[in-house]
Amino acid sequence: SRLRRLGMMLSSCCCQSPLALIDVKGFDPKDVTVVMKDGKVTVSAERKEEHNTCMGKKSSYRKYMKEFSLPPGCEKEVTYSV
């Protein structure tokens, strides 16, 4: 298994400190989606893996979602980095 610890940081130009630090362990950056709508940020990730073994096929499916409201005035520009 290729588990990696990824930290996603959400920031805004109006706030001095980060808005959120989110642990998306086990997901590749391409698996993570960030959507901002109506003053809320939704972070979601989804990953499906299939492996052939000597005993057959092994599958795993993982899904993550976190939603939170932005502080007033921070809706204009939100950035994220992984």
Side-chain angles (χ1 to χ4, degrees), residues 2 31 34 36 42 46 50:
R2 305 176 343 176
D31 297 331
V34 179
M36 188 178 82
T42 303
E46 198 168 356
E50 291 183 351

mmCIF file of all heavy atoms in Angstrom, residues 2 31 34 36 42 46 50:
data_model
loop_
_atom_site.group_PDB
_atom_site.id
_atom_site.type_symbol
_atom_site.label_atom_id
_atom_site.label_comp_id
_atom_site.label_asym_id
_atom_site.label_seq_id
_atom_site.Cartn_x
_atom_site.Cartn_y
_atom_site.Cartn_z
ATOM 1 N N ARG A 2 0.477 2.243 -0.765
ATOM 2 C CA ARG A 2 1.274 3.458 -0.891
ATOM 3 C C ARG A 2 0.711 4.576 -0.022
ATOM 4 O O ARG A 2 0.414 5.654 -0.497
ATOM 5 C CB ARG A 2 1.273 3.954 -2.319
ATOM 6 C CG ARG A 2 1.708 3.005 -3.331
ATOM 7 C CD ARG A 2 1.561 3.609 -4.700
ATOM 8 N NE ARG A 2 0.671 4.771 -4.668
ATOM 9 C CZ ARG A 2 0.418 5.544 -5.681
ATOM 10 N NH1 ARG A 2 0.934 5.316 -6.821
ATOM 11 N NH2 ARG A 2 -0.396 6.576 -5.579
ATOM 12 N N ASP A 31 -6.646 13.005 -6.077
ATOM 13 C CA ASP A 31 -7.877 12.426 -5.531
ATOM 14 C C ASP A 31 -8.678 13.424 -4.702
ATOM 15 O O ASP A 31 -9.813 13.147 -4.328
ATOM 16 C CB ASP A 31 -7.554 11.228 -4.623
ATOM 17 C CG ASP A 31 -6.887 10.090 -5.359
ATOM 18 O OD1 ASP A 31 -7.132 9.941 -6.573
ATOM 19 O OD2 ASP A 31 -6.115 9.349 -4.720
ATOM 20 N N VAL A 34 -11.632 20.373 -3.744
ATOM 21 C CA VAL A 34 -12.033 21.455 -2.843
ATOM 22 C C VAL A 34 -13.051 22.317 -3.574
ATOM 23 O O VAL A 34 -12.800 22.773 -4.688
ATOM 24 C CB VAL A 34 -10.822 22.307 -2.417
ATOM 25 C CG1 VAL A 34 -11.258 23.448 -1.496
ATOM 26 C CG2 VAL A 34 -9.769 21.442 -1.735
ATOM 27 N N MET A 36 -15.831 25.653 -2.946
ATOM 28 C CA MET A 36 -16.327 26.720 -2.083
ATOM 29 C C MET A 36 -17.647 27.216 -2.654
ATOM 30 O O MET A 36 -17.730 27.560 -3.843
ATOM 31 C CB MET A 36 -15.331 27.866 -2.016
ATOM 32 C CG MET A 36 -15.724 28.893 -0.979
ATOM 33 S SD MET A 36 -14.532 30.224 -0.824
ATOM 34 C CE MET A 36 -15.036 31.241 -2.184
ATOM 35 N N THR A 42 -16.002 22.670 1.083
ATOM 36 C CA THR A 42 -16.129 21.222 1.173
ATOM 37 C C THR A 42 -14.870 20.594 0.595
ATOM 38 O O THR A 42 -14.494 20.882 -0.532
ATOM 39 C CB THR A 42 -17.358 20.718 0.380
ATOM 40 O OG1 THR A 42 -18.524 21.372 0.874
ATOM 41 C CG2 THR A 42 -17.521 19.217 0.515
ATOM 42 N N GLU A 46 -11.675 10.663 -2.815
ATOM 43 C CA GLU A 46 -12.211 9.327 -3.094
ATOM 44 C C GLU A 46 -11.124 8.529 -3.813
ATOM 45 O O GLU A 46 -10.431 9.046 -4.683
ATOM 46 C CB GLU A 46 -13.436 9.472 -3.981
ATOM 47 C CG GLU A 46 -14.329 8.287 -4.001
ATOM 48 C CD GLU A 46 -15.665 8.606 -4.667
ATOM 49 O OE1 GLU A 46 -15.927 9.760 -5.042
ATOM 50 O OE2 GLU A 46 -16.442 7.663 -4.806
ATOM 51 N N GLU A 50 -7.567 -1.742 -6.750
ATOM 52 C CA GLU A 50 -7.762 -3.169 -6.963
ATOM 53 C C GLU A 50 -6.398 -3.814 -7.174
ATOM 54 O O GLU A 50 -5.549 -3.266 -7.883
ATOM 55 C CB GLU A 50 -8.649 -3.435 -8.168
ATOM 56 C CG GLU A 50 -10.085 -3.015 -7.968
ATOM 57 C CD GLU A 50 -10.971 -3.358 -9.160
ATOM 58 O OE1 GLU A 50 -10.444 -3.761 -10.216
ATOM 59 O OE2 GLU A 50 -12.186 -3.226 -9.028
#
